[in-house]
Amino acid sequence: SGTNAHVIIEQPPVEPPAPAEERPAPRPVPWLISGGGPEALREQAARLLDHIERHPALEPADVARSLATSRAALEHRAAVLGTLREDFLPALRALAANDPATAGDSAITGTAGSRPGTAFLFSGQGSQRLGMGRELYESFPVFADAFDAVCAHVD
């Protein structure tokens, strides 16, 4: 009936990629392992080691959160400390092989109920190094809240 229509189709403009999200520097975290007995603890360490080796993309902080919140705290326990995935592997291997001495300072083992008494360390009045708690205060909101609460009581 005489109506004309025209459509011009072209590729949309290319959007620049979003800037990469800056991730904070990794922090040390504990991986908590427990078992009903010494053998069960070793088996748990071996299973965790196998899982971590099969899933190299797992973030240490995510593993720490899962172990702390979704596992029972049984009688025989171990904590493996580290920052990067590679920090945990030697200690897990040592625990799985029943050789915690070779894990060095990164693994701590114990039995529930056999804890030593509470220890307090009075290292001085905080004047050893100006600002020595600043990084903790800036990085950990729980620490900052507790520190502010203590300061309010002292003030």
Side-chain angles (χ1 to χ4, degrees), residues 73-75 77 108-119:
L74 302 173
E75 183 179 359
R77 301 174 186 174
I108 303 164
T109 61
T111 305
S114 68
R115 292 184 245 174
T118 303

Side-chain angles (χ1 to χ4, degrees), residues 34-53:
S34 70
E39 182 63 29
L41 179 64
R42 287 191 296 275
E43 290 171 2
Q44 284 290 77
R47 280 194 290 274
L48 179 59
L49 176 63
D50 179 59
H51 184 74
I52 296 305
E53 287 177 334

Side-chain angles (χ1 to χ4, degrees), residues 6 29 49 107 115 142:
H6 302 281
V29 293
L49 176 63
R115 292 184 245 174
V142 172

Side-chain angles (χ1 to χ4, degrees), residues 18-122:
E21 186 176 313
E22 189 172 316
R23 299 187 74 175
R27 300 181 188 135
V29 293
W31 285 4
L32 307 176
I33 309 163
S34 70
E39 182 63 29
L41 179 64
R42 287 191 296 275
E43 290 171 2
Q44 284 290 77
R47 280 194 290 274
L48 179 59
L49 176 63
D50 179 59
H51 184 74
I52 296 305
E53 287 177 334
R54 285 187 293 116
H55 300 92
L58 291 174
E59 291 290 331
D62 295 336
V63 173
R65 184 178 308 105
S66 294
L67 290 170
T69 60
S70 66
R71 301 286 186 260
L74 302 173
E75 183 179 359
H76 292 267
R77 301 174 186 174
V80 180
L81 308 172
T83 302
L84 303 174
R85 177 184 175 275
E86 294 75 26
D87 299 338
F88 295 94
L89 300 180
L92 286 175
R93 283 188 191 100
L95 288 172
N98 195 26
D99 190 11
T102 61
D105 294 334
S106 61
I108 303 164
T109 61
T111 305
S114 68
R115 292 184 245 174
T118 303
F120 294 93
L121 173 65
F122 297 97

